[in-house]
Amino acid sequence: QVQLQESGPGLVKPSQTLSLTCTVSGGSITTNYYYWSWIRQPPGKGLEWIGYIAYSGSTYYSPSLKSRTSISRDTSKNQFTLQLSSVTPEDTAVYYCASVISLGPRTVVAVASKKSEYDYWGQGTQVTVSS
């Protein structure tokens, strides 16, 4: 059974970089056809997909966040990370890591913000951007 756990600071100051880590157990992040995503949910709003890193190491980011987003991985630790730079209070949200099994990236992007489409979810972690 694959399990995901988010970790990182719960409070980030404006203009700084938000950094979160997702630790995966019960399966390898390099397993074929697994896509590993970061998703967030601001207060009172719906899910917003941030981006993914695929089993191959390829990345793809939401166009609206691409300029500030970097997703990377450490295969030796079976972890992947999110870095979101130049944060503002509008970045305050619950941040989730999640995984979907897919034959290709087009389907991953098409269902990126649909919670029911994912195979595995972390519990989420609250991140507040405030001075």
Side-chain angles (χ1 to χ4, degrees):
Q1 177 75 5
V2 172
Q3 294 181 309
L4 297 84
Q5 177 68 60
E6 304 90 346
S7 62
L11 182 64
V12 184
K13 295 181 178 179
S15 82
Q16 294 187 339
T17 296
L18 182 160
S19 184
L20 297 173
T21 297
C22 183
T23 300
V24 179
S25 61
S28 173
I29 60 174
T30 63
T31 298
N32 285 355
Y33 310 124
Y34 278 69
Y35 291 76
W36 306 89
S37 290
W38 286 100
I39 302 144
R40 68 182 184 180
Q41 186 168 32
K45 298 183 179 180
L47 295 172
E48 180 184 21
W49 177 74
I50 300 168
Y52 71 67
I53 185 163
Y55 59 94
S56 62
S58 298
T59 57
Y60 185 73
Y61 309 126
S62 170
S64 64
L65 297 170
K66 181 179 180 179
S67 65
R68 299 193 290 132
T69 304
S70 179
I71 298 174
S72 58
R73 67 181 184 176
D74 185 338
T75 58
S76 69
K77 297 180 179 179
N78 213 36
Q79 296 176 329
F80 63 103
T81 62
L82 169 69
Q83 292 186 281
L84 184 67
S85 65
S86 303
V87 298
T88 74
E90 298 301 312
D91 294 308
T92 294
V94 177
Y95 284 75
Y96 299 91
C97 55
S99 181
V100 61
I101 306 169
S102 177
L103 293 177
R106 289 190 295 178
T107 299
V108 176
V109 174
V111 303
S113 298
K114 299 178 181 178
K115 187 172 183 177
S116 63
E117 297 293 334
Y118 286 84
D119 295 287
Y120 307 103
W121 281 86
Q123 65 181 358
T125 186
Q126 173 70 45
V127 179
T128 299
V129 179
S130 176
S131 61

